[in-house]
Structures are given as C-alpha cells and as structure tokens.
Amino acid sequence: MKIREVMSRDPACCVLTDNAQTVARILCDRNVGSMPVVADQQSRKLVGMITDRDLCCTVIAQGMDPKTTQIASLIALAPLTCRDGENIETCERLMQEHQVRRIPIVDAEDRVIGIVSQADLALRDKPERVSKTIAEISKPVRSSIAA
C-alpha cells in the first residue's frame, strides 16, 4: 500500500512567527497533537514540526507567555518525512525507529501535502502492523546513564 492511500491530505500548518497560543488553538480546533511548521502558507515548504507536548513542556512548564512566545525556538527542525509514492512500510519503519507518532508527507520541493498519523494507520492498515508500530513508538526511551 502506498502512503497516498493512507495519509491525511492538506493538514493544517503553522509558520515560524506564529505564537504558542495561536498554535495551541489550531491543535485544539483540529483535534491533533502536532502540526507541520512551514516557511509560509503559500509555499508550504516544511521547516519543522511542533507538538502539543512541545508547547506544554516548554511554554507552560517554564511559565512563558503563550501570547508572545513565537514557536521558532520550540520546533523540531529537519523532521523525518516521506513522499506519497513510497510504501507505507517505509513510514511505519521511521515511526518505529524514531518513536514518532506522525510523519509529514512532502512533495519533491519539500512542500507539505499530507501527514500520516497513528490514527491513519489504525483506520487503514493491517492490525498486526499497526500493533507493532504502536508498540515500538510507545517503548520507554532508554536512559543514556548506566545504573
């Protein structure tokens, strides 16, 4: 199965100059946990990803003002990506290896055209593959300090 058969098309995107409150509002309105960050809404060229966890663990936990905090300093730069013509197994492998729940789908010019989430897989992929992907993503991250 190809990624184009599974992905959610034209996901909501935000830009580097958006503030944390604006992004949080979009995440809530769209009922999603992360969003691609693009250079501008016209080109939709991918520059990063931001998650609800980024907002909570940085902005809220550190007492920053969400109305004035721009997301540029909060985003994960150079996120993992896939192309819509690739096999879904490629996307699942990246999710498993890097423990990420969503992968933006870009075209040849790195413009965001879709996103694949755990929910997309759960609704359209084989249950045994979905189960493996979720199990791998959910494993605790090992500490680098030996006990």
Side-chain angles (χ1 to χ4, degrees), residues 6-71:
V6 175
M7 71 182 194
S8 296
R9 297 180 183 280
D10 300 318
C13 296
C14 57
V15 295
L16 290 170
T17 56
D18 282 339
N19 65 45
Q21 184 176 29
T22 298
V23 173
R25 189 175 309 118
I26 296 167
L27 291 172
C28 288
D29 290 348
R30 297 291 184 115
N31 193 29
V32 295
S34 72
M35 188 174 3
V37 181
V38 294
D40 59 74
Q41 293 292 356
Q42 291 73 34
S43 73
R44 292 179 62 94
K45 185 170 176 69
L46 183 67
V47 295
M49 286 287 286
I50 190 157
T51 68
D52 49 7
R53 184 169 171 79
D54 296 329
L55 296 173
C56 180
C57 291
T58 304
V59 178
I60 303 303
Q62 294 181 18
M64 301 165 88
D65 182 353
K67 292 179 183 176
T68 60
T69 302
Q70 289 187 343
I71 63 162

Side-chain angles (χ1 to χ4, degrees), residues 11 13 15 19 38 40 42 57 77 79 83-84 89 102 116 126 134 147:
C13 296
V15 295
N19 65 45
V38 294
D40 59 74
Q42 291 73 34
C57 291
L77 297 170
R83 306 243 190 251
D84 67 340
E89 292 87 358
R102 298 160 198 91
V116 172
K126 297 176 183 168
I134 292 172

Side-chain angles (χ1 to χ4, degrees), residues 117-134:
S117 69
Q118 283 180 335
D120 294 322
L121 296 176
L123 293 171
R124 296 180 188 96
D125 202 6
K126 297 176 183 168
E128 60 275 7
R129 289 202 355 223
V130 173
S131 177
K132 179 182 179 195
T133 298
I134 292 172

